[in-house]
Amino acid sequence: MKQSKPLLFIVFFAIFFYCSLYTFAQTKPVPANSQRKDFYLLLKEADLKFTFPSGFKEVKAINNDYFSFDFALEEPQHNCEVWLMVRSQKQNWLSYENAQNNKKTELANPDSMYVDIGKAYAIGLTGSQNFMVRNIPADVLAEYNADAGKSYLLNLRDMQVIHHYKYALIVSLQKNHTGTLIAIFFTNYKDPDFYRDVNCVSHSFKFTP
């Protein structure tokens, strides 16, 4: 337990670095009364369409020293909570191309951000690198008009900040040169109800072709 805070700090720094590598101050505290409005602006910038899933209600997104998300949902009946992060990669891609052409500055490819953020959150939530990672198949990606994606199935550390949930599924989706979507699904029961909730929320998103 003595190492938990330093580890969280390292993970938070990694996430902050990747989110702010190209553009600064994209993530700001979101007032509860403007959360949905701000979220829909982020969706538009990332060319993402979103249909609010039936049976869920909006809750305040977490934004602290370790976790910063744009929107959150809860399905009380099935004990499922969802944290959502959306980032446009359009300007980041232009910056990356300019850096490649000028050969003066080295920048990480923004189309790899979905991997870096997903892995960083997985480590932060489990306290280790012992978790299941899978590439999302091409036929599933096509349903979202996405180019790449990964899923992470986690056994969580016992933390108050995540309301003591036991399990989580991270879904990270990427539309190349366009946008990144990170969704974390929390639950205490890996049962059919949970996976139905995951399917319901996941299919509420689609990148513009």
Side-chain angles (χ1 to χ4, degrees), residues 60-96:
K60 187 175 181 180
I62 189 168
N63 196 326
N64 59 26
D65 289 342
Y66 305 114
F67 301 104
S68 183
F69 285 80
D70 307 306
F71 201 68
L73 302 169
E74 183 181 62
E75 204 291 298
Q77 184 176 354
H78 296 160
N79 193 27
C80 176
E81 188 171 338
V82 189
W83 296 356
L84 299 165
M85 173 193 288
V86 173
R87 293 291 178 269
S88 171
Q89 301 299 346
K90 296 175 186 175
Q91 184 58 51
N92 295 347
W93 181 256
L94 291 176
S95 299
Y96 175 76

Side-chain angles (χ1 to χ4, degrees), residues 5 22 56 94 112 114 122 126 129 143 145 159 166 170 182 184 202:
K5 289 188 177 179
Y22 307 92
F56 282 79
L94 291 176
S112 68
Y114 79 100
T126 61
Q129 298 194 45
E143 297 178 14
N145 293 321
M159 293 188 290
K166 296 179 180 179
I170 300 178
I182 306 293
I184 304 183
S202 296

Side-chain angles (χ1 to χ4, degrees), residues 2 5 15 22 31 50 74 109 112 123 139 161 166 190 198:
K2 292 183 179 179
K5 289 188 177 179
I15 294 168
Y22 307 92
F50 173 61
E74 183 181 62
N109 189 326
S112 68
I123 294 172
D139 58 332
V161 69
K166 296 179 180 179
K190 293 187 289 185
V198 170

Side-chain angles (χ1 to χ4, degrees), residues 40-61:
Y40 275 82
L41 288 175
L42 291 172
L43 291 168
K44 184 177 180 180
E45 292 172 359
D47 284 359
L48 265 167
K49 295 181 179 179
F50 173 61
T51 303
F52 201 98
S54 175
F56 282 79
K57 67 176 184 179
E58 176 184 350
V59 293
K60 187 175 181 180

